[in-house]
Coordinates of all heavy atoms in Angstrom, one line a residue:
G1 N 0.8 -1.2 0.0 CA 0.0 0.0 0.0 C 0.8 1.3 0.0 O 0.3 2.3 0.3
R2 N 2.1 1.2 -0.4 CA 2.9 2.4 -0.5 C 3.0 2.9 -1.9 O 2.9 2.2 -2.9 CB 4.4 2.0 -0.1 CG 4.5 1.5 1.3 CD 4.4 2.6 2.3 NE 4.6 2.0 3.6 CZ 4.0 2.4 4.7 NH1 3.0 3.2 4.6 NH2 4.3 1.9 5.9
P3 N 3.1 4.2 -2.1 CA 3.2 4.8 -3.4 C 4.5 4.5 -4.0 O 5.5 4.2 -3.3 CB 3.0 6.3 -3.2 CG 3.5 6.5 -1.8 CD 3.1 5.3 -1.0
V4 N 4.5 4.5 -5.3 CA 5.8 4.2 -6.1 C 6.4 5.5 -6.6 O 5.7 6.3 -7.1 CB 5.5 3.3 -7.3 CG1 6.7 3.0 -8.1 CG2 4.8 2.0 -6.8
L5 N 7.7 5.6 -6.3 CA 8.5 6.7 -6.8 C 9.6 6.0 -7.5 O 10.4 5.3 -6.9 CB 9.0 7.6 -5.7 CG 8.0 8.3 -4.9 CD1 8.7 9.1 -3.8 CD2 7.1 9.2 -5.7
A6 N 9.7 6.2 -8.9 CA 10.7 5.4 -9.6 C 11.4 6.2 -10.7 O 10.8 7.0 -11.4 CB 9.9 4.2 -10.2
M7 N 12.6 5.8 -10.9 CA 13.4 6.1 -12.1 C 13.4 4.8 -12.9 O 14.1 3.8 -12.5 CB 14.8 6.5 -11.8 CG 14.9 7.9 -11.3 SD 16.7 8.5 -11.2 CE 17.4 7.4 -10.0
I8 N 12.6 4.7 -14.0 CA 12.3 3.4 -14.6 C 12.1 3.6 -16.1 O 11.7 4.7 -16.6 CB 11.1 2.8 -13.9 CG1 11.0 1.3 -14.2 CG2 9.9 3.6 -14.2 CD1 10.0 0.7 -13.2
G9 N 12.2 2.5 -16.8 CA 12.0 2.5 -18.2 C 10.5 2.6 -18.5 O 9.6 2.5 -17.6
Q10 N 10.2 2.7 -19.8 CA 8.8 3.0 -20.2 C 7.8 1.9 -19.8 O 6.7 2.2 -19.4 CB 8.7 3.2 -21.7 CG 7.4 3.8 -22.2 CD 7.1 5.1 -21.5 OE1 8.0 6.0 -21.5 NE2 5.9 5.3 -20.9
G11 N 8.2 0.6 -19.8 CA 7.2 -0.4 -19.4 C 6.8 -0.3 -18.0 O 5.6 -0.4 -17.7
G12 N 7.7 -0.1 -17.1 CA 7.4 0.1 -15.7 C 6.6 1.4 -15.5 O 5.6 1.5 -14.7
A13 N 7.0 2.5 -16.2 CA 6.3 3.8 -16.1 C 4.8 3.6 -16.6 O 3.9 4.2 -16.0 CB 7.0 4.8 -16.9
D14 N 4.6 2.8 -17.6 CA 3.2 2.6 -18.1 C 2.4 1.9 -17.0 O 1.2 2.3 -16.8 CB 3.3 1.7 -19.3 CG 3.8 2.4 -20.5 OD1 3.9 3.7 -20.5 OD2 4.1 1.7 -21.5
I15 N 2.9 1.0 -16.3 CA 2.2 0.3 -15.2 C 1.9 1.3 -14.1 O 0.8 1.3 -13.6 CB 2.9 -1.0 -14.7 CG1 3.0 -2.0 -15.8 CG2 2.3 -1.5 -13.4 CD1 3.8 -3.2 -15.5
I16 N 2.8 2.1 -13.7 CA 2.6 3.1 -12.6 C 1.5 4.0 -13.1 O 0.6 4.3 -12.3 CB 3.9 3.8 -12.3 CG1 4.9 2.8 -11.7 CG2 3.7 5.0 -11.4 CD1 6.4 3.4 -11.6
A17 N 1.5 4.5 -14.3 CA 0.5 5.4 -14.8 C -0.9 4.7 -14.9 O -1.9 5.3 -14.4 CB 0.9 5.9 -16.2
E18 N -0.9 3.5 -15.4 CA -2.2 2.7 -15.5 C -2.8 2.5 -14.1 O -4.0 2.7 -13.9 CB -1.9 1.4 -16.1 CG -3.2 0.6 -16.3 CD -2.9 -0.7 -17.0 OE1 -2.1 -0.8 -17.9 OE2 -3.6 -1.7 -16.6
A19 N -2.0 2.2 -13.1 CA -2.5 1.9 -11.8 C -2.7 3.2 -11.0 O -3.4 3.2 -10.0 CB -1.5 1.0 -11.0
D20 N -2.1 4.3 -11.5 CA -2.2 5.6 -10.8 C -1.7 5.4 -9.3 O -2.3 5.9 -8.4 CB -3.6 6.2 -10.8 CG -3.6 7.7 -10.4 OD1 -2.5 8.3 -10.4 OD2 -4.7 8.2 -10.0
C21 N -0.6 4.8 -9.2 CA -0.1 4.4 -7.9 C 1.2 5.1 -7.5 O 1.8 4.8 -6.5 CB 0.2 2.9 -7.8 SG 1.5 2.3 -8.9
G22 N 1.6 6.1 -8.3 CA 2.8 6.8 -7.9 C 3.3 7.7 -9.1 O 2.5 8.1 -9.9
Y23 N 4.6 8.0 -9.1 CA 5.2 8.8 -10.0 C 6.5 8.2 -10.6 O 7.1 7.5 -9.9 CB 5.6 10.2 -9.4 CG 4.4 10.9 -8.8 CD1 4.2 10.9 -7.4 CD2 3.5 11.6 -9.6 CE1 3.1 11.5 -6.9 CE2 2.4 12.3 -9.0 CZ 2.3 12.3 -7.7 OH 1.2 12.9 -7.1
S24 N 6.8 8.5 -11.8 CA 8.0 8.0 -12.4 C 8.7 9.0 -13.3 O 8.0 10.0 -13.8 CB 7.7 6.7 -13.2 OG 7.0 7.0 -14.4
V25 N 10.0 8.9 -13.4 CA 10.8 9.7 -14.4 C 11.6 8.7 -15.2 O 11.8 7.5 -14.7 CB 11.6 10.7 -13.7 CG1 10.8 11.7 -12.9 CG2 12.6 10.1 -12.7
P26 N 12.1 9.1 -16.3 CA 13.0 8.2 -17.1 C 14.2 7.7 -16.3 O 14.7 8.3 -15.4 CB 13.5 9.0 -18.3 CG 12.4 10.1 -18.4 CD 12.0 10.4 -17.0
A27 N 14.6 6.4 -16.6 CA 15.7 5.8 -15.9 C 16.9 6.7 -16.0 O 17.2 7.3 -17.1 CB 16.0 4.4 -16.5
E28 N 17.7 6.7 -15.0 CA 19.0 7.4 -14.9 C 18.8 9.0 -14.9 O 19.8 9.7 -15.1 CB 19.9 7.0 -16.0 CG 20.2 5.5 -15.8 CD 21.2 5.0 -16.9 OE1 22.0 5.8 -17.4 OE2 21.2 3.8 -17.2
D29 N 17.6 9.5 -14.7 CA 17.4 11.0 -14.7 C 17.3 11.5 -13.3 O 16.2 11.8 -12.8 CB 16.2 11.4 -15.6 CG 16.2 12.8 -15.9 OD1 16.9 13.6 -15.2 OD2 15.4 13.2 -16.8
A30 N 18.4 11.5 -12.6 CA 18.4 11.9 -11.2 C 17.9 13.3 -11.0 O 17.2 13.6 -10.0 CB 19.8 11.7 -10.6
E31 N 18.2 14.2 -11.9 CA 17.7 15.6 -11.8 C 16.2 15.6 -11.9 O 15.6 16.4 -11.1 CB 18.4 16.4 -12.9 CG 18.1 17.9 -12.7 CD 18.9 18.7 -13.7 OE1 20.1 18.5 -13.8 OE2 18.3 19.6 -14.3
A32 N 15.6 14.9 -12.8 CA 14.1 14.9 -12.9 C 13.5 14.3 -11.6 O 12.5 14.7 -11.2 CB 13.7 14.1 -14.1
F33 N 14.2 13.2 -11.1 CA 13.7 12.6 -9.9 C 13.7 13.6 -8.7 O 12.7 13.6 -8.0 CB 14.5 11.4 -9.6 CG 13.9 10.4 -8.6 CD1 12.8 9.7 -8.9 CD2 14.5 10.3 -7.3 CE1 12.2 8.8 -7.9 CE2 14.0 9.4 -6.4 CZ 12.8 8.7 -6.7
A34 N 14.8 14.3 -8.5 CA 14.8 15.3 -7.5 C 13.8 16.4 -7.6 O 13.1 16.8 -6.7 CB 16.2 15.9 -7.4
K35 N 13.6 16.8 -8.9 CA 12.6 17.8 -9.2 C 11.2 17.3 -8.9 O 10.3 18.0 -8.3 CB 12.7 18.3 -10.6 CG 11.7 19.4 -11.0 CD 12.1 19.9 -12.4 CE 11.1 21.0 -12.9 NZ 10.8 22.0 -12.0
L36 N 10.9 16.0 -9.3 CA 9.6 15.4 -9.0 C 9.3 15.4 -7.5 O 8.2 15.8 -7.1 CB 9.6 14.0 -9.5 CG 8.4 13.1 -9.1 CD1 7.2 13.5 -9.9 CD2 8.8 11.6 -9.4
I37 N 10.3 15.0 -6.7 CA 10.1 14.9 -5.3 C 9.9 16.3 -4.7 O 8.9 16.5 -3.9 CB 11.3 14.3 -4.6 CG1 11.3 12.8 -4.9 CG2 11.2 14.4 -3.1 CD1 12.6 12.1 -4.5
H38 N 10.6 17.3 -5.1 CA 10.5 18.7 -4.6 C 9.2 19.3 -5.1 O 8.5 19.9 -4.3 CB 11.7 19.5 -5.1 CG 11.7 20.9 -4.6 ND1 11.2 21.9 -5.3 CD2 12.2 21.4 -3.4 CE1 11.3 23.0 -4.6 NE2 11.9 22.7 -3.4
D39 N 8.9 19.2 -6.3 CA 7.8 20.0 -6.9 C 6.4 19.3 -6.8 O 5.4 19.9 -6.8 CB 8.0 20.3 -8.4 CG 9.2 21.2 -8.6 OD1 9.7 21.8 -7.6 OD2 9.7 21.3 -9.7
V40 N 6.4 17.9 -6.8 CA 5.2 17.2 -6.9 C 4.9 16.4 -5.6 O 3.8 16.5 -5.0 CB 5.1 16.3 -8.1 CG1 3.8 15.5 -8.1 CG2 5.3 17.0 -9.4
V41 N 5.8 15.6 -5.2 CA 5.6 14.7 -4.0 C 5.5 15.4 -2.7 O 4.5 15.2 -2.0 CB 6.8 13.7 -4.0 CG1 6.6 12.8 -2.7 CG2 6.8 12.8 -5.2
L42 N 6.4 16.2 -2.3 CA 6.4 16.9 -1.0 C 5.2 17.8 -0.8 O 4.6 17.8 0.2 CB 7.7 17.6 -0.8 CG 8.9 16.7 -0.6 CD1 10.2 17.5 -0.4 CD2 8.7 15.7 0.6
P43 N 4.8 18.6 -1.9 CA 3.6 19.5 -1.7 C 2.3 18.7 -1.7 O 1.3 19.3 -1.3 CB 3.7 20.4 -2.9 CG 5.0 20.3 -3.4 CD 5.5 18.9 -3.1
N44 N 2.3 17.4 -2.0 CA 1.0 16.7 -2.2 C 1.0 15.4 -1.4 O 0.7 14.3 -1.9 CB 0.7 16.4 -3.7 CG 0.6 17.7 -4.5 OD1 -0.3 18.5 -4.2 ND2 1.5 17.9 -5.4
K45 N 1.4 15.4 -0.1 CA 1.5 14.2 0.6 C 0.2 13.4 0.8 O 0.2 12.2 0.8 CB 2.1 14.5 2.0 CG 3.5 15.0 2.0 CD 4.1 15.3 3.3 CE 5.5 15.7 3.2 NZ 6.1 16.1 4.5
E46 N -0.9 14.1 0.8 CA -2.2 13.4 0.9 C -2.4 12.6 -0.3 O -3.0 11.5 -0.2 CB -3.4 14.4 1.1 CG -3.3 15.3 2.3 CD -2.4 16.5 2.1 OE1 -2.2 17.0 1.0 OE2 -1.8 17.0 3.1
D47 N -2.1 13.1 -1.5 CA -2.2 12.3 -2.7 C -1.4 11.0 -2.7 O -1.8 10.0 -3.3 CB -1.8 13.2 -3.9 CG -2.2 12.6 -5.2 OD1 -3.3 12.1 -5.3 OD2 -1.3 12.6 -6.1
L48 N -0.3 11.0 -2.0 CA 0.6 9.8 -1.9 C -0.1 8.7 -1.2 O 0.0 7.6 -1.7 CB 1.9 10.1 -1.2 CG 2.9 10.9 -1.9 CD1 4.2 11.1 -1.0 CD2 3.3 10.2 -3.2
E49 N -0.9 9.0 -0.2 CA -1.6 7.9 0.5 C -2.6 7.3 -0.5 O -2.8 6.0 -0.5 CB -2.4 8.5 1.7 CG -1.6 8.3 3.0 CD -2.5 8.7 4.2 OE1 -3.5 8.0 4.4 OE2 -2.1 9.6 4.9
K50 N -3.3 8.1 -1.2 CA -4.3 7.6 -2.2 C -3.6 6.7 -3.3 O -4.1 5.7 -3.6 CB -5.1 8.7 -2.9 CG -5.9 9.5 -1.9 CD -6.6 10.7 -2.6 CE -7.3 11.5 -1.6 NZ -7.7 12.8 -2.2
K51 N -2.5 7.2 -3.7 CA -1.7 6.4 -4.8 C -1.3 5.1 -4.2 O -1.3 4.1 -4.9 CB -0.6 7.2 -5.3 CG -1.1 8.4 -6.2 CD 0.1 9.1 -6.9 CE -0.4 10.2 -7.7 NZ -1.1 9.8 -8.9
G52 N -0.9 5.1 -2.9 CA -0.5 3.8 -2.3 C -1.6 2.8 -2.2 O -1.4 1.7 -2.5
S53 N -2.8 3.3 -1.9 CA -4.0 2.4 -1.8 C -4.3 1.9 -3.2 O -4.6 0.7 -3.4 CB -5.1 3.2 -1.3 OG -4.9 3.6 0.1
R54 N -4.2 2.8 -4.2 CA -4.5 2.3 -5.6 C -3.5 1.3 -6.1 O -3.8 0.3 -6.8 CB -4.6 3.5 -6.5 CG -5.8 4.3 -6.4 CD -6.0 5.4 -7.5 NE -5.0 6.4 -7.5 CZ -5.2 7.6 -6.8 NH1 -6.3 7.9 -6.2 NH2 -4.2 8.5 -6.9
G55 N -2.2 1.5 -5.7 CA -1.2 0.5 -6.0 C -1.5 -0.9 -5.4 O -1.3 -1.9 -6.1
R56 N -1.9 -0.9 -4.2 CA -2.2 -2.2 -3.5 C -3.4 -2.9 -4.2 O -3.4 -4.1 -4.5 CB -2.6 -1.9 -2.0 CG -3.0 -3.1 -1.3 CD -1.7 -4.0 -1.0 NE -2.2 -5.2 -0.3 CZ -1.5 -6.3 -0.3 NH1 -0.5 -6.5 -1.1 NH2 -2.0 -7.3 0.4
E57 N -4.4 -2.1 -4.6 CA -5.6 -2.7 -5.3 C -5.2 -3.2 -6.7 O -5.6 -4.3 -7.1 CB -6.7 -1.6 -5.4 CG -7.9 -2.1 -6.0 CD -8.6 -3.2 -5.2 OE1 -8.5 -3.2 -4.0 OE2 -9.2 -4.1 -5.8
Y58 N -4.3 -2.5 -7.4 CA -3.8 -2.9 -8.7 C -3.0 -4.2 -8.5 O -3.2 -5.1 -9.3 CB -3.0 -1.8 -9.3 CG -2.7 -2.0 -10.7 CD1 -3.5 -1.6 -11.7 CD2 -1.5 -2.7 -11.1 CE1 -3.2 -1.9 -13.1 CE2 -1.2 -2.9 -12.4 CZ -2.0 -2.5 -13.4 OH -1.7 -2.7 -14.7
F59 N -2.2 -4.3 -7.5 CA -1.4 -5.5 -7.3 C -2.4 -6.7 -7.1 O -2.2 -7.7 -7.6 CB -0.5 -5.3 -6.1 CG 0.0 -6.6 -5.6 CD1 1.1 -7.2 -6.2 CD2 -0.5 -7.3 -4.5 CE1 1.7 -8.4 -5.8 CE2 0.0 -8.5 -4.1 CZ 1.1 -9.0 -4.7
L60 N -3.4 -6.5 -6.2 CA -4.3 -7.6 -5.9 C -5.1 -8.0 -7.2 O -5.4 -9.2 -7.3 CB -5.3 -7.2 -4.8 CG -4.6 -7.0 -3.4 CD1 -5.6 -6.4 -2.4 CD2 -4.0 -8.3 -2.9
Q61 N -5.3 -7.1 -8.1 CA -6.1 -7.4 -9.3 C -5.2 -8.1 -10.3 O -5.7 -8.9 -11.2 CB -6.7 -6.2 -9.9 CG -7.8 -5.6 -9.0 CD -8.4 -4.3 -9.6 OE1 -7.9 -3.8 -10.6 NE2 -9.3 -3.7 -8.9
H62 N -3.9 -7.8 -10.4 CA -3.1 -8.2 -11.5 C -1.8 -9.0 -11.2 O -1.3 -9.7 -12.1 CB -2.6 -6.9 -12.3 CG -3.7 -6.1 -12.8 ND1 -4.4 -6.5 -14.0 CD2 -4.3 -5.0 -12.4 CE1 -5.3 -5.6 -14.2 NE2 -5.3 -4.7 -13.2
F63 N -1.3 -9.0 -10.0 CA 0.0 -9.6 -9.7 C 0.0 -10.6 -8.6 O 1.1 -11.0 -8.1 CB 1.0 -8.5 -9.4 CG 1.3 -7.7 -10.7 CD1 0.9 -6.4 -10.8 CD2 2.0 -8.2 -11.7 CE1 1.1 -5.6 -11.9 CE2 2.3 -7.5 -12.8 CZ 1.9 -6.2 -12.9
T64 N -1.1 -11.1 -8.1 CA -1.1 -12.1 -7.1 C -0.6 -13.4 -7.8 O -0.6 -13.6 -9.0 CB -2.5 -12.4 -6.5 OG1 -3.4 -12.8 -7.5 CG2 -3.0 -11.2 -5.7
K65 N -0.1 -14.3 -7.0 CA 0.5 -15.6 -7.5 C -0.6 -16.3 -8.3 O -0.3 -16.8 -9.4 CB 0.9 -16.4 -6.3 CG 1.5 -17.8 -6.7 CD 1.9 -18.5 -5.4 CE 2.2 -20.0 -5.7 NZ 2.6 -20.7 -4.5
E66 N -1.8 -16.4 -7.8 CA -2.9 -17.1 -8.5 C -3.2 -16.4 -9.8 O -3.4 -17.1 -10.8 CB -4.1 -17.1 -7.6 CG -4.0 -18.0 -6.4 CD -3.3 -17.3 -5.2 OE1 -3.1 -16.0 -5.3 OE2 -2.8 -18.0 -4.3
H67 N -3.2 -15.1 -9.9 CA -3.5 -14.4 -11.1 C -2.4 -14.7 -12.1 O -2.7 -14.9 -13.3 CB -3.7 -12.9 -10.8 CG -4.1 -12.2 -12.0 ND1 -5.4 -12.2 -12.5 CD2 -3.4 -11.4 -12.9 CE1 -5.5 -11.4 -13.6 NE2 -4.3 -10.9 -13.8
C68 N -1.2 -14.6 -11.7 CA -0.1 -14.8 -12.6 C -0.1 -16.2 -13.1 O 0.2 -16.4 -14.3 CB 1.2 -14.5 -11.9 SG 1.4 -12.7 -11.6
I69 N -0.4 -17.2 -12.3 CA -0.4 -18.6 -12.8 C -1.5 -18.8 -13.8 O -1.4 -19.4 -14.8 CB -0.5 -19.6 -11.6 CG1 0.8 -19.6 -10.8 CG2 -0.9 -21.0 -12.0 CD1 0.7 -20.4 -9.5
D70 N -2.7 -18.2 -13.5 CA -3.8 -18.3 -14.4 C -3.4 -17.7 -15.8 O -3.7 -18.2 -16.8 CB -5.0 -17.5 -13.9 CG -5.7 -18.3 -12.7 OD1 -5.4 -19.5 -12.5 OD2 -6.5 -17.6 -12.0
N71 N -2.7 -16.5 -15.8 CA -2.3 -15.9 -17.0 C -1.3 -16.8 -17.8 O -1.4 -16.9 -19.0 CB -1.7 -14.5 -16.7 CG -2.7 -13.5 -16.5 OD1 -3.9 -13.6 -16.8 ND2 -2.2 -12.3 -15.9
L72 N -0.4 -17.4 -17.0 CA 0.6 -18.2 -17.6 C -0.1 -19.4 -18.3 O 0.3 -19.8 -19.4 CB 1.7 -18.7 -16.6 CG 2.8 -19.6 -17.1 CD1 3.6 -18.9 -18.2 CD2 3.7 -20.0 -16.0
C73 N -1.0 -20.0 -17.6 CA -1.7 -21.2 -18.1 C -2.5 -20.8 -19.4 O -2.5 -21.6 -20.3 CB -2.7 -21.8 -17.1 SG -1.8 -22.6 -15.7
E74 N -3.0 -19.6 -19.4 CA -3.8 -19.1 -20.6 C -2.8 -19.0 -21.7 O -3.1 -19.3 -22.9 CB -4.5 -17.8 -20.2 CG -5.4 -17.4 -21.3 CD -6.2 -16.1 -20.9 OE1 -6.8 -16.1 -19.8 OE2 -6.2 -15.2 -21.7
I75 N -1.6 -18.4 -21.4 CA -0.6 -18.2 -22.5 C -0.2 -19.5 -23.1 O 0.0 -19.6 -24.3 CB 0.5 -17.4 -22.0 CG1 0.1 -15.9 -21.7 CG2 1.7 -17.4 -22.9 CD1 1.1 -15.1 -20.9
I76 N 0.1 -20.5 -22.3 CA 0.6 -21.8 -22.8 C -0.5 -22.7 -23.2 O -0.2 -23.8 -23.7 CB 1.6 -22.4 -21.8 CG1 0.9 -22.8 -20.5 CG2 2.8 -21.5 -21.6 CD1 1.8 -23.6 -19.5
G77 N -1.7 -22.3 -23.0 CA -2.8 -23.1 -23.5 C -3.3 -24.3 -22.7 O -3.7 -25.3 -23.2
K78 N -3.1 -24.2 -21.4 CA -3.6 -25.2 -20.5 C -4.9 -24.9 -19.8 O -5.2 -23.8 -19.6 CB -2.5 -25.5 -19.4 CG -1.4 -26.2 -20.0 CD -0.6 -26.9 -18.9 CE 0.5 -27.7 -19.5 NZ 0.9 -28.8 -18.8

């Protein structure tokens, strides 16, 4: 249930955006990460709690062991 703050590639950033569970900047962009924390994260601490809750819900819907096994079985045709 914690919000995500990440320097990450586009695939991970897409998941963070889809889940609305945090914020991301491009990988290896430490300056953008610092700016994100200063300009967006610190002034909006209440929003972080909401993003953490949304992240937990997204995880439960998409990334539990059972869900992942079901997806794998669907992919391999079992």
